[in-house]
Amino acid sequence: MRFLAALGGNLALAFLVLALAAVPLLTHPATPLPREWNPVLPLDMAEPLTPVTPFKLAASQRGASCSAAINSGDVRFVALDDFEISDVCHIRDRVRLDRVGSAALAPVETRCATALRLALWERHVLQPLAEAHLGTSVTRILHQSSYNCRPIRTPSGDGQRMSTHATASAIDVRGFTLGDGREIVLTSGWNSADYGRFLRAVRNGACDWFTTVLGPDFNILHADHFHLQAVGRGPCR
């Protein structure tokens, strides 16, 4: 046991030494490490995806780091002052969003972190899947808002905890408008032969960018929308 403890201590010390030695390499202006692989550089939404991307996203959830990250993408938004009702109902790092990438949406006030994840989902999941499954693009994301000061809803009534919507840490998406004019909504498309596979693929892909994703397979309350959540850790259903 003492040997293992000593070994663990030595490994931790070695890791610390290596990490400290690597800092000059990572931070030097002439570093040969590509930007997308450099964990000390902030998230740039235009850079290719790598295993380092989730780490950069996790570090870009608040304040100036989130503002910088969302500014790096093709996102149309306006930064707003924080909105505070109480300790449990507020929108901090508030933005008004009306377009992510090629997809417009009805103006919605939400947290920067929620907007950032929505933009990454649109870029890396939604548009590629629309092209692959439907041969067109998504021009509009149809949503059911983000902020709502209320408790979690359950099939048996309101729950004891506040919803993540109470801090605009989630957004509900009910469907999409396509480049050829078609409109897909979950209520009619989820089990349809034309759109069911696309909608399930979109749901599954959202789980790479949101920490909780709930849809028609979760419960009756989500039969008409995807709940896309930016905080905590929950199911993908």
Side-chain angles (χ1 to χ4, degrees):
M1 295 294 292
R2 290 180 180 177
F3 170 74
L4 291 176
L7 179 61
N10 289 335
L11 288 174
L13 179 61
F15 180 80
L16 178 61
V17 170
L18 289 172
L20 290 173
V23 168
L25 174 64
L26 297 176
T27 58
H28 194 281
T31 177
L33 190 65
R35 177 185 177 86
E36 62 269 21
W37 284 94
N38 193 328
V40 304
L41 293 181
L43 176 67
D44 184 331
M45 295 210 323
E47 65 193 16
L49 299 182
T50 72
V52 179
T53 304
F55 172 82
K56 291 189 175 193
L57 176 59
S60 303
Q61 297 302 288
R62 294 182 177 86
S65 60
C66 186
S67 298
I70 200 170
N71 266 312
S72 72
D74 186 16
V75 180
R76 193 165 63 206
F77 73 101
V78 176
L80 303 171
D81 292 338
D82 288 351
F83 173 75
E84 297 272 351
I85 288 184
S86 68
D87 287 342
V88 295
C89 288
H90 51 74
I91 312 177
R92 295 168 185 164
D93 297 325
R94 182 170 60 136
V95 298
R96 183 186 297 117
L97 185 69
D98 68 13
R99 183 170 60 78
V100 288
S102 302
L105 61 161
V108 58
E109 292 189 7
T110 188
R111 281 186 63 204
C112 179
T114 306
L116 177 60
R117 290 174 182 269
L118 188 73
L120 288 164
W121 176 60
E122 186 272 346
R123 180 184 184 93
H124 296 292
V125 176
L126 191 56
Q127 298 296 357
L129 287 176
E131 186 63 40
H133 285 263
L134 306 172
T136 187
S137 63
V138 170
T139 57
R140 193 168 189 86
I141 297 172
L142 309 174
H143 68 84
Q144 297 178 173
S145 195
S146 174
Y147 174 75
N148 192 342
C149 181
R150 62 169 174 81
I152 289 175
R153 292 172 180 158
T154 74
S156 57
D158 287 345
Q160 298 299 310
R161 295 183 293 117
M162 293 299 288
S163 168
T164 48
H165 286 288
T167 56
S169 297
I171 187 168
D172 290 342
V173 171
R174 67 178 183 86
F176 312 99
T177 301
L178 304 179
D180 57 13
R182 285 178 290 172
E183 184 173 283
I184 304 173
V185 293
L186 269 68
T187 48
S188 59
W190 187 251
N191 291 314
S192 76
D194 292 330
Y195 305 124
R197 289 180 61 192
F198 166 71
L199 290 173
R200 282 166 175 78
V202 163
R203 186 272 314 274
N204 294 342
C207 302
D208 292 333
W209 299 105
F210 292 92
T211 60
T212 298
V213 177
L214 309 178
D217 286 344
F218 183 67
N219 65 21
I220 190 64
L221 296 177
H222 296 84
D224 63 349
H225 70 276
F226 295 134
H227 170 87
L228 307 178
Q229 185 173 310
V231 296
R233 181 60 60 182
C236 174
R237 288 186 57 197

